[in-house]
Amino acid sequence: MESVLSKYENQITIFTDYLEEYSDTDELVWILGKQHLLKTEKSKLLSDISARLWFTYRRKFSPIGGTGPSSDVGWGCMLRCGQMMLAQALICRHLGRDWNWEKQKEQPKEYQRILQCFLDRKDCCYSIHQMAQMGVGEGKSIGEWFGPNTVAQVLKKLALFDEWNSLAVYVSMDNTVVIEDIKKMCCVLPLSADTAGESPPDSLIASNQSKGTSAYCPAWKPLLLIVPLRLGINQINPVYVDAFKECFKMPQSLGALGGKPNNAYYFIGFLGNELIFLDPHTTQTFVDTEENGTVDDQTFHCLQSPQRMNILNLDPSVALGFFCKEEKDFDNWCSLVQKEILKENLRMFELVQKHPSHWPPFVPPAKPEVTTTGAEFIDSTEQLEEFDLEEDFEILSV
């Protein structure tokens, strides 16, 4: 397997141009909900981009599953993009969107802890090992390429074992986001209660929802909202372009997963009709924690000029990401969607208040009853039977 993967290392095809030079223009650049005036804030823009955690192909990590691949070159790009989107959610959760990274500067302890969630070791909750093995439960063999929805389903299940970040991960179905279901999943009883972390009774939720989306919620579990979409048949339909770009302007934006057939990128913003993205197709050596317990983070930030792609060259299968730390953030997101997305005649996705009557009942995902950690739980693929197999919504066309 290693010899097969190694041949890819010098054969990575890059389809886009580097943004080595930004032209002087009065246009705004949008990066994950923040705007930059290109003409006067070029250095601030590049600093904002380089602050995002950048996950790429790695080699020489411990074999996945004990006997599997020790590199994800050639197949792990969508998994790495999923890691980048989730990492941005964790940065927003613990450090805030305005947090910035500077090379060789001491960072908050939360930053180091976030980074350690993604190291290429089987005992790290969002490692390539965990994602690849959880993908088996989604019908994907270890070493097989993932689509955007598969990655979303994998992250949803791995998050159940992550008690520190305590995220509620909602992956929409059938191009539809259901407010009632999200409120049911994110509204939990206060931590002081005997049933801390549990959802409040349905009667309380129903009562609150009848008063509108801003009704009282006892405590809000931070929400990672992923919306898998297909925006065309073989190529993106131009009618969706404006709505797609609007999503990057929302303060809750985590960008988008997508790219070209079998080449995934993490899209973080746009300039005009060009999408700006982080590219995982660089092979680096495995990095582990040092003796003092910290991680050398120099290879986890992209210090090159960012790359770009014309939005019409995007494969139509994508997944949008949003993070709502508090209930008011979700309510604000709903208002923005109603104003900017639902105004279109051909809507990119739907936002509805009530759970559709023809759908199966919504049951918030729950951690299986096991006595081990998440890492130990999926150390063997035989133990993945606890999870239901969820059919892919869309994958990038091959």
Side-chain angles (χ1 to χ4, degrees):
M1 174 66 81
E2 188 71 14
S3 61
V4 174
L5 291 175
S6 64
K7 74 178 182 180
Y8 286 97
E9 294 198 26
N10 297 317
Q11 298 178 12
I12 302 301
T13 302
I14 302 300
F15 292 94
T16 54
D17 300 318
Y18 281 102
L19 289 176
E20 294 175 347
E21 294 292 337
Y22 283 107
S23 59
D24 286 331
T25 173
D26 291 328
E27 284 192 86
L28 288 173
V29 180
W30 286 90
I31 301 292
L32 302 174
K34 293 185 70 173
Q35 64 180 21
H36 300 275
L37 185 59
L38 192 54
K39 199 168 188 175
T40 59
E41 300 178 326
K42 191 178 299 185
S43 60
K44 186 178 177 182
L45 165 65
L46 295 176
S47 176
D48 190 23
I49 294 173
S50 66
R52 304 312 112 213
L53 282 173
W54 178 50
F55 298 119
T56 71
Y57 288 151
R58 296 276 174 173
R59 57 189 178 90
K60 295 186 178 180
F61 49 70
S62 63
I64 297 174
T67 58
S70 57
S71 171
D72 62 313
V73 174
W75 60 271
C77 54
M78 185 61 82
L79 282 74
R80 297 302 186 180
C81 291
Q83 287 180 326
M84 286 189 268
M85 177 178 281
L86 176 58
Q88 179 59 24
L90 301 187
I91 291 290
C92 291
R93 188 201 186 314
H94 295 286
L95 303 174
R97 174 62 183 90
D98 292 332
W99 170 84
N100 216 339
W101 175 84
E102 292 182 30
K103 188 176 181 180
Q104 296 179 332
K105 179 182 178 181
E106 185 176 354
Q107 301 296 336
K109 62 181 181 179
E110 292 87 356
Y111 166 80
Q112 278 286 329
R113 193 168 178 182
I114 290 169
L115 192 53
Q116 290 175 21
C117 291
F118 298 92
L119 296 182
D120 300 318
R121 300 181 349 194
K122 71 176 183 179
D123 60 341
C124 296
C125 54
Y126 300 114
S127 66
I128 194 76
H129 299 66
Q130 296 289 0
M131 294 185 71
Q133 289 194 260
M134 190 62 84
V136 174
E138 294 296 315
K140 297 291 183 180
S141 301
I142 293 175
E144 186 176 353
W145 198 85
F146 284 27
N149 183 62
T150 306
V151 168
Q153 300 295 346
V154 163
L155 292 178
K156 180 175 74 172
K157 292 173 179 177
L158 288 178
L160 298 174
F161 300 97
D162 179 13
E163 295 182 358
W164 175 55
N165 292 299
S166 187
L167 293 181
V169 181
Y170 179 92
V171 182
S172 67
M173 290 176 51
D174 296 340
N175 289 13
T176 304
V177 176
V178 183
I179 295 173
E180 178 182 46
D181 294 347
I182 289 177
K183 296 271 184 171
K184 184 175 182 180
M185 182 169 61
C186 293
C187 287
V188 295
L189 295 175
L191 294 177
S192 59
D194 293 335
T195 53
E198 295 183 7
S199 297
D202 288 347
S203 58
L204 176 60
I205 295 175
S207 174
N208 288 342
Q209 287 170 344
S210 67
K211 302 172 187 175
T213 58
S214 61
Y216 170 72
C217 178
W220 179 264
K221 196 171 186 180
L223 169 68
L224 168 56
L225 169 58
I226 304 178
V227 186
L229 299 169
R230 186 154 188 105
L231 303 179
I233 301 176
N234 296 317
Q235 59 187 22
I236 189 170
N237 188 331
V239 74
Y240 295 121
V241 166
D242 288 342
F244 189 76
K245 289 162 57 175
E246 282 296 327
C247 291
F248 292 97
K249 296 181 181 180
M250 298 177 181
Q252 301 84 359
S253 175
L254 295 177
L257 308 178
K260 298 193 175 208
N262 293 328
N263 282 274
Y265 307 122
Y266 175 41
F267 296 96
I268 58 174
F270 72 92
L271 166 63
N273 282 325
E274 292 185 319
L275 298 174
I276 298 171
F277 65 91
L278 296 179
D279 186 354
H281 299 92
T282 295
T283 305
Q284 305 186 89
T285 304
F286 162 63
V287 172
D288 204 350
T289 51
E290 300 181 344
E291 290 185 1
N292 62 2
T294 64
V295 178
D296 183 349
D297 66 351
Q298 300 304 302
T299 62
F300 292 98
H301 293 271
C302 185
L303 301 181
Q304 299 173 334
S305 294
Q307 297 190 55
R308 62 182 179 178
M309 172 193 292
N310 188 292
I311 193 168
L312 293 178
N313 293 333
L314 180 69
D315 188 278
S317 286
V318 298
L320 297 169
F322 305 94
F323 178 70
C324 302
K325 184 175 182 179
E326 300 177 2
E327 185 181 17
K328 64 181 181 180
D329 300 323
F330 177 63
D331 292 340
N332 174 257
W333 179 83
C334 291
S335 297
L336 290 173
V337 168
Q338 289 167 345
K339 179 181 177 183
E340 303 296 342
I341 306 299
L342 303 187
K343 69 179 181 180
E344 304 292 341
N345 291 329
L346 188 58
R347 296 173 176 178
M348 192 164 60
F349 62 88
E350 298 289 343
L351 177 67
V352 300
Q353 180 69 46
K354 296 293 184 180
H355 185 86
S357 59
H358 61 281
W359 284 13
F362 176 76
V363 179
K367 179 179 175 181
E369 293 297 328
V370 293
T371 56
T372 58
T373 66
E376 293 165 339
F377 176 67
I378 61 171
D379 191 44
S380 167
T381 55
E382 294 178 359
Q383 294 171 302
L384 289 165
E385 295 176 359
E386 288 283 346
F387 289 112
D388 294 328
L389 175 63
E390 298 200 35
E391 183 180 356
D392 279 354
F393 176 74
E394 298 289 355
I395 60 173
L396 297 182
S397 57
V398 178

